Amino acid sequence: MFPCGPGSPGGDRMAGAGTEEPAPLGEQATAVVLLAAPLWPPPPGADAAPPLSPSRSPRCPGSPSPSPAARAAGAPKAPAAPAPGKAPQPSPPRRRAGPDCGAGGLGGPGARLFGWLRERCLGRGLFVDPARDNFRTMTNLYGSIHPADSVYLSTRTHGAVFNLEYSPDGSVLTVACEQTEVLLFDPISSKHIKTLSEAHEDCVNNIRFLDNRLFATCSDDTTIALWDLRKLNTKVCTLHGHTSWVKNIEYDTNTRLLVTSGFDGNVIIWDTNRCTEDGCPHKKFFHTRFLMRMRLTPDCSKMLISTSSGYLLILHDLDLTKSLEVGSYPILRARRTTSSSGVSPRNSLEVLTPKVPGERDRGNCITSLQLHPKGWATLLRCSSNTDDQEWTCVYEFQEGVPVRPVSPRCSLRLTHYIEEANVGRGYIKELCFSPDGRMVSSPHAYGIRLLGFDKQCSELIDCLPKEASPLRVIRSLYSHKDVVLTTKFSPTHCQIASGCLSGRVSLYQPKF
């Protein structure tokens, strides 16, 4: 998607690499664009099953098992009349509305459906709201995921798909395109919301939501644009400050500071608290050569920067508000530097060369960088300098006493890895974690692979190996006719999106 180093021609290719025509992998299907079917619910009156079944909904807690005849009729069996001369037994407590029982626990199929819809609207459904830690159930749903049937969307104008981004509430899917456009869709109703035909004057590289209505885009035209979903006819403002292609956008929700990076090697901070139509106040925060990607940990305590020369830079105890001259960051040595007061200095810099399988004697380029949603690990896509191998690697963050004297605190440890298909040489593939961090979605030739730390899709901290072990392939999905460049999980629904070089967008959902 982007060059492997400064000065490389084009906004979607890495330097000195050609395009390979790959053979189709796996089952080829027609490329799809948007979702047309609801993600759930189960049909009214469906049989009950254990709570972790991916295709059936759980019975309400404490409810008795209905008879086969009652299940066939879709309603609970009526209680028998008390025997003559015996006092009637007290009625059981009313059950809470849910997928398999109506409002108040009494009612037929219509009441059960109403109860499920009510739970969904309130955000308390087991299969709808991943924020309630029902991640294992949501993960099981991905085992039955398939390309979704959808309408055809013409892709002749917007070119390759470089980036996909959902709004935090999952109601809008934005698409960053090669030919200056940004597309907006409702991923649930399959409706095309808007095309920003001239969002920038060059390739649109990255999109970042600041909240449910404001989002930022960056481009090879060296600018960043702010947009409001309520008024998409014009930009909120345009930010000028970079001198080369802008590739990455991050946002600190606590300080409301926007952080961008580009191929000029600069990381720039923008104060959106004082944003006007003419732009935002900004300052140059950091500079390094061969900068590729920049990310902030979820708590904004660290900044990670990947480079095309294979180095990974980590700024510890991050303070984005601190005014520092470029190059004045304390360098972490074998033991962590501390001040006279015993407190570590802010913005301490650590330089690492992540271990990559099969690359002991050759350099590598870190082309894609993502962070675990809970800040436990970093996810890298690495390619060899000769571009004949690609790897997806997971590195755990480690704190405490350093293990090796040459690496300060040994901050990263390779835990899992997998070799990727060497297809589409010269293009960068953007991968991602699932919202719960249990799975990785990785572009793989003409499709994507869902990868887990083990076959049960356990949490990373529950299955940390003593030595680096391979990632497990949970499912492979192939629905494109060209090399997939980017993929993204929905933050709220059991849905995955992917975009390819020819401009197609596919959505995947469970199929029952």
Side-chain angles (χ1 to χ4, degrees):
M1 182 166 61
F2 310 120
C4 187
S8 303
D12 61 341
R13 299 289 301 275
M14 290 197 293
T19 304
E20 176 181 304
E21 292 295 335
L25 295 178
E27 179 183 356
Q28 294 293 332
T30 303
V32 290
V33 183
L34 284 176
L35 176 64
L39 295 174
W40 195 254
D47 197 359
L52 294 182
S53 172
S55 59
R56 299 181 182 179
S57 59
R59 186 176 295 113
C60 295
S63 60
S65 299
S67 66
R71 287 198 297 266
K77 184 177 179 180
K86 291 186 178 181
Q89 297 296 324
S91 300
R94 298 179 66 182
R95 292 173 290 168
R96 186 173 58 87
D100 287 313
C101 54
L106 297 173
R112 285 195 298 277
L113 178 60
F114 174 80
W116 180 88
L117 290 173
R118 179 176 179 273
E119 291 291 341
R120 186 182 190 280
C121 293
L122 293 176
R124 291 199 296 261
L126 285 175
F127 302 98
V128 178
D129 188 5
R132 298 189 65 81
D133 291 330
N134 295 297
F135 294 133
R136 188 176 298 277
T137 302
M138 290 293 295
T139 300
N140 287 342
L141 288 176
Y142 288 106
S144 59
I145 205 162
H146 289 78
D149 298 330
S150 90
V151 298
Y152 174 77
L153 174 71
S154 174
T155 60
R156 292 177 296 178
T157 60
H158 63 255
V161 175
F162 284 170
N163 183 243
L164 299 164
E165 186 71 14
Y166 286 88
S167 61
D169 60 3
S171 63
V172 177
L173 173 64
T174 57
V175 182
C177 303
E178 177 185 12
Q179 301 296 334
T180 75
E181 294 184 352
V182 173
L183 309 178
L184 294 92
F185 295 100
D186 179 352
I188 305 303
S189 67
S190 305
K191 291 183 179 179
H192 177 210
I193 300 174
K194 183 78 173 179
T195 295
L196 308 178
S197 57
E198 296 181 357
H200 288 274
E201 297 178 359
D202 208 332
C203 305
V204 184
N205 297 320
N206 191 239
I207 301 175
R208 180 76 176 188
F209 274 87
L210 282 61
D211 53 36
N212 283 323
R213 62 180 181 85
L214 292 174
F215 66 95
T217 60
C218 64
S219 169
D220 282 358
D221 66 5
T222 75
T223 68
I224 301 99
L226 294 182
W227 304 85
D228 192 327
L229 287 176
R230 300 170 299 180
K231 188 180 179 182
L232 291 171
N233 292 330
T234 59
K235 303 175 184 177
V236 175
C237 65
T238 301
L239 309 180
H240 299 269
H242 285 278
T243 58
S244 186
W245 305 336
V246 188
K247 297 298 185 182
N248 201 189
I249 306 174
E250 292 288 286
Y251 183 64
D252 184 352
T253 55
N254 298 320
T255 59
R256 293 173 55 88
L257 295 177
L258 199 68
V259 189
T260 62
S261 65
F263 278 1
D264 55 5
N266 292 326
V267 176
I268 296 180
I269 308 294
W270 310 83
D271 188 358
T272 60
N273 298 291
R274 295 185 289 163
C275 188
T276 65
E277 293 182 356
D278 298 327
C280 299
H282 66 278
K283 66 177 180 180
K284 187 184 294 185
F285 182 74
F286 189 79
H287 176 83
T288 186
R289 297 178 63 192
F290 312 123
L291 188 152
M292 288 291 292
R293 295 289 185 270
M294 174 272 306
R295 301 288 179 190
L296 300 179
T297 54
D299 61 358
C300 294
S301 64
K302 296 181 178 67
M303 176 186 289
L304 278 74
I305 299 173
S306 64
T307 67
S308 59
S309 56
Y311 291 101
L312 188 68
L313 311 179
I314 304 179
L315 283 169
H316 295 273
D317 303 308
L318 188 65
D319 184 0
L320 295 175
T321 63
K322 190 173 183 179
S323 180
L324 290 175
E325 295 181 0
V326 175
S328 65
Y329 302 90
I331 304 296
L332 290 176
R333 302 299 179 185
R335 288 189 300 174
R336 184 160 187 182
T337 307
T338 57
S339 62
S340 57
S341 62
V343 180
S344 302
R346 305 301 298 270
N347 299 325
S348 300
L349 177 64
E350 181 179 7
V351 182
L352 296 172
T353 304
K355 176 184 177 183
V356 179
E359 292 297 314
R360 296 178 181 177
D361 301 324
R362 295 181 293 175
N364 63 84
C365 171
I366 304 174
T367 58
S368 180
L369 168 66
Q370 298 290 339
L371 290 174
H372 191 281
K374 297 181 181 178
W376 294 339
T378 181
L379 177 65
L380 304 183
R381 182 78 169 239
C382 304
S383 63
S384 62
N385 285 342
T386 56
D387 202 30
D388 59 352
Q389 280 184 305
E390 280 193 323
W391 297 85
T392 290
C393 301
V394 178
Y395 299 85
E396 173 208 8
F397 280 112
Q398 295 189 112
E399 302 290 345
V401 180
V403 178
R404 294 174 296 157
V406 296
S407 179
R409 297 191 303 160
C410 189
S411 291
L412 295 179
R413 180 174 75 92
L414 178 65
T415 61
H416 298 83
Y417 63 90
I418 193 169
E419 187 171 3
E420 299 286 4
N422 187 27
V423 176
R425 295 185 183 183
Y427 292 95
I428 296 176
K429 292 87 176 180
E430 297 286 358
L431 64 179
C432 64
F433 278 108
S434 61
D436 57 7
R438 291 178 182 267
M439 284 193 299
V440 172
S441 180
S442 176
H444 189 261
Y446 287 4
I448 62 175
R449 290 193 299 187
L450 301 183
L451 308 172
F453 305 117
D454 59 15
K455 284 295 185 181
Q456 290 72 40
C457 294
S458 302
E459 295 272 17
L460 176 61
I461 59 173
D462 295 332
C463 58
L464 281 174
K466 295 182 179 179
E467 297 182 355
S469 62
L471 287 164
R472 303 299 182 93
V473 179
I474 305 301
R475 190 167 181 80
S476 297
L477 301 164
Y478 299 101
S479 63
H480 290 272
K481 295 183 179 180
D482 211 333
V483 180
V484 175
L485 301 181
T486 182
T487 180
K488 185 71 68 173
F489 282 89
S490 168
T492 55
H493 299 86
C494 186
Q495 185 182 93
I496 308 172
S498 63
C500 71
L501 184 61
S502 62
R504 297 291 184 88
V505 175
S506 292
L507 293 184
Y508 311 87
Q509 69 172 33
K511 193 171 185 178
F512 304 105

